[in-house]
Amino acid sequence: QKEVEQNSGPLSVPEGAIASLNCTYSDRVSQSFFWYRQYSGKSPELIMSIYSNGDKEDGRFTAQLNKASQYVSLLIRDSQPSDSATYLCAVRSSNTGKLIFGQGTTLQVKP
Amino acid sequence: GAGVSQSPRYKVAKRGQDVALRCDPISGHVSLFWYQQALGQGPEFLTYFQNEAQLDKSGLPSDRFFAERPEGSVSTLKIQRTQQEDSAVYLCASSLGRSRAGQNYGYTFGSGTRLTVV
């Protein structure tokens, strides 16, 4: 089992819809969780961080964390074609402090 | 500088050649990380520095890979006797470390070095 798992997609949604991206992790004591966006040929860009159970909202983005289920998600409201990218879930290792990344989910927002 | 700077942006190496990849982190960032990203995959951890100390090198795939950060700022990732399987994008990231609340800051990534071994 990988430490951080994501469905590779592609996830295709129409413009204006809500995109839901999911991630599960295996380290039960992880405390810090991050979502990165990566456009093709570019480096990952941090878009959200979350540390506590529940929801955290920032503009059109909402991160959700459920530590009991070892599950973190990212919702993108009013999806735009410019949101089309790969979204990487990252979890901070409780032992070493390094970020462990999932393989990423490719999102396609169709006009 | 304003961001994490990596050079070269692209590197083509003949199999067996040694290469050196440079990372200049954001000023004041104590933590520096190297990742390897293959096409269609997420970044894979290679090694981690806090200031000049290499605290974790568990991700380095073989003894051909070596990283250093002698003065706690610029870091160099060196790959000796490159092989075709070393072809990937090498990403450097830096971070402030931990906040006073004990939460970990996210990383800021550089643009990466795309290494192609032929």
Side-chain angles (χ1 to χ4, degrees), chain A residues 40-87:
Chain A
S40 181
K42 302 294 185 182
S43 59
E45 171 193 11
L46 179 64
I47 54 173
M48 290 287 287
S49 60
I50 187 166
Y51 307 103
S52 305
N53 277 328
D55 294 359
K56 179 182 178 182
E57 186 174 320
D58 183 1
R60 295 187 296 112
F61 298 98
T62 299
Q64 299 175 317
L65 175 61
N66 183 327
K67 291 185 180 179
S69 300
Q70 295 172 237
Y71 177 93
V72 58
S73 65
L74 180 70
L75 301 178
I76 306 174
R77 289 182 299 281
D78 187 25
S79 296
Q80 302 297 308
S82 59
D83 295 327
S84 298
T86 296
Y87 290 80

Side-chain angles (χ1 to χ4, degrees), chain A residues 2 32 34 36 38 41-46 51-52 88 92 96-104, chain B residues 9 33 35 37 40-43 45 48 56 58 91 95 97 103-107 109-111 114:
Chain A
K2 287 189 175 181
S32 305
F34 304 88
Y36 283 81
Q38 187 172 29
K42 302 294 185 182
S43 59
E45 171 193 11
L46 179 64
Y51 307 103
S52 305
L88 297 162
R92 177 88 61 178
T96 65
K98 65 192 179 193
L99 280 188
I100 307 297
F101 286 85
Q103 71 173 84
Chain B
R9 187 76 175 89
F33 307 84
Y35 282 80
Q37 188 173 25
Q41 301 297 316
F45 172 81
Y48 159 47
D56 187 345
S58 62
L91 294 165
S95 169
Q103 295 171 340
N104 289 288
Y105 293 103
Y107 298 179
F109 281 89
S111 299
R114 181 176 297 275

